[in-house]
Amino acid sequence: MDLKQGIKSLGCYSVWIRVIAVAALCVGFSSPLNANPLATPDRDWIEYPDDEAPSQRETDLGKVLFFDNRLSIDRKRSCASCHNPDLGFGDGLALSADIQGKPLQRHTPHLYNLAWASTFFWDGRADSLEQQALMPIQSEDEMNLSIEDLVIRLNSVSAYREKFAAVYGNGAISEDMIARALAAFMRSLVSDNSAFDRFLRGESNALGPEAKRGLELFQGKAECSKCHDGANFTDDSFHNIGLPGNDLGRAEVVSDNSLRGAFKTPSLRNITLTAPYMHDGSFASLESVIVFYNEGGGNDSLKSELIKPLNLSNQEISDLLAFLGTLESRVDITRPSIPDVNR
């Protein structure tokens, strides 16, 4: 029995056990104390519902739903309206517009490599992709459609009844089926063949001199990997970096004021495709993000002790940018045909 099978047989599916095993099994790179090694994501370590990977039919069904405007009350927006594959599965805006056209409170996060995530949304209010998938649909500010009405809509379309029956068996389309299909598609958005991944696999020339210096800075002087660690360059945790504003962040979810203004560490996979940055979209470029951290972050009283001046030179900032560029590995998506668009 290998290590992964042994852990699974014991039922050890907690996030920290999985991360330790991934670090041992993946080709890694040295990291600071308490940080998980930088690595390539291991698809064998994706946790699926019932420990079973979705069929291609289920993933394809989720893809159709993801692009279908009938998932919103006015039939004018889909999941892909805010998570546009042409814009790094974001929308390119600092703050997306709500159902009435007014700016929302937070920036739309990208969807890359959520298959390995343990919490979802900037504040971590969802614990699974299935739970996350349905929340924007029901949100009064986003798609504003009740799940009950969505189920009725989908059941009224013969093509959808056929697609769901092919995946889940005969019977009416249900809330659980919709969540599972959408989550199956989102788990398929895997970015794992960047220049950095090829470097880890032994292609020493995959990174140029600037990027190699940037990698050393990332794990050393710049201290980026204290939060952006592991195979997906995130600790899946929450930090206050000192940005101004009244958004309570994680504190609102867990009723703990010490986490006021703390938000989830985003993955840096494909970070060059997902501008602007931060939970409020307040930084238009990666360079401005690095400068912010270099100056010690913001001035909030609950700012994390990890955030402090870095004293990076202009050349070192340029080197870090070069390294971040090596994390790009696009996920190309062909938009599906949507059944019975007039119904």
Side-chain angles (χ1 to χ4, degrees), residues 195-206:
F196 177 67
D197 296 308
R198 297 195 298 274
F199 177 73
L200 289 183
R201 293 197 293 267
E203 295 182 30
S204 59
N205 293 329

Side-chain angles (χ1 to χ4, degrees), residues 153-326:
R153 282 188 186 183
L154 296 182
N155 273 305
S156 71
V157 180
S158 59
Y160 267 128
R161 293 197 302 271
E162 292 169 6
K163 288 177 181 292
F164 274 89
V167 175
Y168 301 111
N170 293 325
I173 298 168
S174 69
E175 174 180 346
D176 178 66
M177 294 175 187
I178 298 168
R180 288 179 60 182
L182 283 168
F185 171 65
M186 287 189 282
R187 285 193 180 93
S188 75
L189 304 177
V190 172
S191 176
D192 62 356
N193 192 35
S194 66
F196 177 67
D197 296 308
R198 297 195 298 274
F199 177 73
L200 289 183
R201 293 197 293 267
E203 295 182 30
S204 59
N205 293 329
L207 301 190
E210 264 196 333
K212 288 178 180 177
R213 294 195 301 267
L215 172 56
E216 184 176 351
L217 287 163
F218 189 91
Q219 298 187 110
K221 181 178 178 181
E223 301 185 350
C224 308
S225 59
K226 284 188 174 180
C227 298
H228 295 284
D229 66 346
N232 285 307
F233 292 80
T234 173
D235 59 5
D236 257 357
S237 190
F238 305 86
H239 305 278
N240 182 323
I241 61 174
L243 287 172
N246 298 318
D247 193 332
L248 296 178
R250 182 64 172 165
E252 189 169 12
V253 176
V254 296
S255 300
D256 182 349
N257 191 60
S258 69
L259 290 170
R260 177 183 54 77
F263 296 90
K264 183 181 173 180
T265 304
S267 167
L268 299 184
R269 292 277 174 180
N270 280 333
I271 193 66
T272 50
L273 306 178
T274 59
Y277 304 100
M278 306 301 190
H279 73 276
D280 58 358
S282 55
F283 291 97
S285 69
L286 273 177
E287 183 175 7
S288 61
V289 172
I290 295 174
V291 168
F292 171 78
Y293 284 119
N294 193 38
E295 294 174 348
N299 297 314
D300 190 270
S301 61
L302 292 177
K303 182 176 71 175
S304 169
E305 294 180 356
L306 295 173
I307 310 300
K308 57 189 178 182
L310 301 173
N311 301 310
L312 300 175
S313 67
N314 288 338
Q315 181 60 59
E316 288 172 326
I317 290 174
S318 178
D319 291 344
L320 269 178
L321 285 169
F323 171 64
L324 293 174
T326 71

Side-chain angles (χ1 to χ4, degrees), residues 46 62-63 66-67 78-91 107-117 119-122 128-129 132-133 136 142 182-191 232 234 264 266-271 273-274 329 331 333:
I46 296 175
K63 179 180 178 180
F66 189 86
F67 284 91
S78 67
C79 304
S81 297
C82 292
H83 298 287
N84 185 340
D86 299 329
L87 297 171
F89 287 94
D91 56 15
H107 172 64
T108 299
H110 70 72
L111 303 181
Y112 296 111
N113 292 15
L114 291 183
W116 291 272
T119 58
F120 304 87
F121 295 107
W122 284 107
S128 72
L129 265 177
Q132 180 277 331
E142 296 181 66
L182 283 168
F185 171 65
M186 287 189 282
R187 285 193 180 93
S188 75
L189 304 177
V190 172
S191 176
N232 285 307
T234 173
K264 183 181 173 180
S267 167
L268 299 184
R269 292 277 174 180
N270 280 333
I271 193 66
L273 306 178
T274 59
S329 177
V331 178
I333 295 292

Side-chain angles (χ1 to χ4, degrees), residues 43 48 52-65 163 166-168 180-189 332-334 336:
R43 297 184 189 223
Y48 297 107
E52 183 176 347
S55 66
Q56 189 59 51
R57 274 185 169 179
E58 185 172 23
T59 300
D60 290 344
L61 172 58
K63 179 180 178 180
V64 174
L65 290 169
K163 288 177 181 292
V167 175
Y168 301 111
R180 288 179 60 182
L182 283 168
F185 171 65
M186 287 189 282
R187 285 193 180 93
S188 75
L189 304 177
D332 295 322
I333 295 292
T334 300

